Amino acid sequence: MHEYARRMPVGIDAVAYNPGFVPGTGLARNAGPVSRFAMRRILPVMTLTPFATSRNAAGRYLADVVLGITRAPTGSYVDRGREARSSKESYDPQRERELWDAVERFAAAYAAGADGLSGEVMSGSSRQIEQ
């Protein structure tokens, strides 16, 4: 997020938002039947604890960020309803640039109509698959 904030034009803010664990949202839609049942019927009870966020609360928290009710300057990380420090690794400018470059390569391959990944991006893996 810090790299996005540095690269965006003035007036465009980039903010990372983490709603926390939000059961009942389809997160486990591709999981097995037991996991899907638990996510739909059992785990929503966790929203009564600090360990999970209800769908309504997650939406309110996000709206508060977008509307400026939750203070979130560009480049910040919002955990549920408050600005927080992100992981130590997220402040490494070299990692941020590497991630930016990787995303640009993946996006360029996708935009070019590639099958998702170019040979350049998957250099070692694509050669291994071809053998």
Side-chain angles (χ1 to χ4, degrees), residues 7-49:
R7 292 179 184 241
M8 291 295 112
V10 173
I12 297 178
D13 292 339
V15 176
Y17 167 67
N18 173 24
F21 174 58
V22 186
T25 59
L27 178 65
R29 67 183 158 274
N30 295 324
V34 173
S35 295
R36 286 194 317 269
F37 176 80
M39 283 292 281
R40 270 195 322 265
R41 304 288 183 214
I42 299 169
L43 295 177
V45 174
M46 287 184 64
T47 61
L48 302 174
T49 73

Side-chain angles (χ1 to χ4, degrees), residues 8-122:
M8 291 295 112
V10 173
I12 297 178
D13 292 339
V15 176
Y17 167 67
N18 173 24
F21 174 58
V22 186
T25 59
L27 178 65
R29 67 183 158 274
N30 295 324
V34 173
S35 295
R36 286 194 317 269
F37 176 80
M39 283 292 281
R40 270 195 322 265
R41 304 288 183 214
I42 299 169
L43 295 177
V45 174
M46 287 184 64
T47 61
L48 302 174
T49 73
F51 302 109
T53 308
S54 72
R55 291 181 295 182
N56 287 339
R60 272 193 317 276
Y61 291 145
L62 179 58
D64 288 349
V65 171
V66 172
L67 296 173
I69 296 167
T70 298
R71 184 187 167 283
T74 191
S76 64
Y77 170 75
V78 175
D79 184 15
R80 300 179 198 187
R82 64 178 181 77
E83 182 183 6
R85 286 195 52 82
S86 53
S87 69
K88 185 177 92 171
E89 297 83 7
S90 74
Y91 293 92
D92 180 346
Q94 177 64 32
R95 286 174 58 111
E96 294 169 351
R97 280 190 299 279
E98 289 172 3
L99 178 59
W100 183 275
D101 293 342
V103 168
E104 280 190 334
R105 287 193 309 272
F106 284 118
Y110 178 79
D115 61 351
L117 301 173
S118 71
E120 178 184 333
V121 173
M122 295 293 292

